[in-house]
Amino acid sequence: MKIYTKTGDKGLTSLIGGTRVPKYHLRIESYGTVDELNSYIGLIRDQNITVHDKEILKQIQDRLFTIGSSLAADPEKAKMILPDLQTADVELLELEMDSISQQLPELRHFILPGGSNTISFCHIARCICRRAERITVQLASESTVDEKVNIYLNRLSDYLFTLARKIANETNVPENQWVPRI
């Protein structure tokens, strides 16, 4: 099987279910952004972080593929059985954040991104996650989107922020606190 099909040469692509849409369609933008996010999660996994964090990030990558397949499906025509998100997926992120937060100092300032490559990668992924959430919220206002997708992306961006703080704490990198000029 060849990797290229030439079916997208005129700027159209197919959703699961066969519907052809322009490559700039909001549904394509939504799962494309989730794919971009997934690549950054992989970059974070490739860093020198704990085995536990790597395992959680691998689960997140799996869930992002689940989200991508959901967003790539035409809700009116897709007949395939697709993997789906579960409430437990959101709960896992919440449990991880709760556990991490117990080890961190109380957050009293906004945090400027940076401090190390790994911390910065977490913040970049967080920003991409927020963009993916905004796009899927917009898509949900126009079409069918599983509500768990937006909930998951919302929690995931919070998790990535918390993970950045955890990594800073573990590597003794001071947080870049934003103190506004007044």
Side-chain angles (χ1 to χ4, degrees), residues 158-176:
D158 293 337
Y159 168 79
L160 291 165
F161 176 78
T162 305
L163 180 62
R165 292 193 71 217
K166 175 185 187 273
I167 292 168
N169 189 56
E170 290 173 345
T171 56
N172 296 313
V173 174
E175 292 183 326
N176 295 315

Side-chain angles (χ1 to χ4, degrees), residues 100-108 165-166 169 175 177:
I100 293 169
S101 294
Q102 291 177 3
Q103 305 164 29
L104 297 174
E106 185 179 345
L107 187 61
R108 296 178 181 265
R165 292 193 71 217
K166 175 185 187 273
N169 189 56
E175 292 183 326
Q177 295 180 351

Side-chain angles (χ1 to χ4, degrees), residues 87-135:
T87 304
D89 299 323
V90 174
E91 290 169 350
L92 174 68
L93 295 176
E94 292 171 347
L95 288 171
E96 284 297 309
M97 284 185 284
D98 291 344
S99 175
I100 293 169
S101 294
Q102 291 177 3
Q103 305 164 29
L104 297 174
E106 185 179 345
L107 187 61
R108 296 178 181 265
H109 293 87
F110 285 104
I111 304 296
L112 298 171
S116 74
N117 284 344
T118 306
I119 295 166
S120 295
F121 293 149
C122 289
H123 284 289
I124 291 169
R126 173 185 56 81
C127 292
I128 295 168
C129 189
R130 293 259 190 236
R131 178 165 31 100
E133 181 187 9
R134 289 190 305 269
I135 293 167

Side-chain angles (χ1 to χ4, degrees), residues 41-73:
I41 300 290
L43 184 60
I44 298 166
R45 274 187 58 228
D46 290 342
Q47 304 305 302
N48 186 20
I49 60 175
T50 68
V51 171
H52 176 78
D53 291 337
K54 287 179 185 264
E55 289 171 1
I56 295 298
L57 290 170
K58 181 136 194 246
Q59 289 182 50
I60 289 168
Q61 286 188 292
D62 183 87
R63 297 305 94 76
L64 291 174
F65 257 81
T66 296
I67 289 170
S69 65
S70 171
L71 294 171

